[in-house]
């Protein structure tokens, strides 16, 4: 989990997954299939799938500054603070570099 709080806590701008979790996921068969699949992004789908497969979660909210995560944003922009490995959502290189320089 890379976003504290309730709701989606596994944001797709950076996903760190263990080898064991990937092996469990690869052997899932149809366990994660559902009628809602086409209505969500891959990050929400993967979080729900991991829940169904009872894959243990670790939380590290210090890696990412994501504007979609309510806990670390200013409006819909991420906090541009030192020490993050990813800043999201910037769609243009100039936007990302401005944030990186600010951090």
């Amino acid at each position: 989990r890379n976003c504290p709080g309730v709701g989606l806590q596994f944001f797709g701008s950076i996903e760190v997954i263990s080898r064991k979790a990937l092996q469990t996921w690869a052997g899932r068969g149809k366990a994660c299939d559902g009628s809602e699949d086409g209505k969500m992004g891959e990050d929400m789908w993967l979080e729900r799938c991991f829940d169904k497969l009872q894959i243990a979660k670790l939380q590290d909210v210090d890696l990412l500054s994501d504007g979609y995560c309510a806990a670390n944003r200013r409006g819909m922009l991420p906090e541009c603070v030192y020490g993050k490995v990813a800043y999201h959502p910037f769609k243009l290189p100039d936007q990302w570099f401005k944030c990186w320089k600010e951090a």
Side-chain angles (χ1 to χ4, degrees):
R1 294 183 170 169
N2 54 22
C3 178
V6 296
L8 180 64
Q9 297 176 344
F10 188 59
F11 280 68
S13 47
I14 185 168
E15 299 164 346
V16 179
I17 303 168
S18 72
R19 178 177 290 149
K20 184 175 180 182
L22 281 178
Q23 289 169 338
T24 301
W25 174 82
R28 74 190 180 284
K30 295 187 179 275
C32 296
D33 292 356
S35 61
E36 300 287 310
D37 289 354
K39 298 178 182 176
M40 63 185 93
E42 91 290 342
D43 46 7
M44 182 180 286
W45 183 87
L46 195 58
E47 183 176 42
R48 288 182 180 182
C49 181
F50 279 12
D51 288 344
K52 287 178 185 177
L53 298 173
Q54 299 181 337
I55 293 174
K57 298 175 186 137
L58 297 176
Q59 183 162 314
D60 189 337
V61 298
D62 294 325
L63 292 174
L64 172 65
S65 185
D66 194 311
Y68 296 148
C69 174
N72 59 12
R73 71 178 180 209
R74 301 170 303 198
M76 286 305 284
L77 295 175
E79 289 185 302
C80 299
V81 295
Y82 178 79
K84 303 296 182 178
V85 299
Y87 303 96
H88 184 262
F90 295 112
K91 306 302 180 189
L92 300 172
D94 288 348
Q95 294 171 331
W96 187 92
F97 277 111
K98 181 179 183 231
C99 182
W100 180 73
K101 287 176 184 175
E102 184 180 318

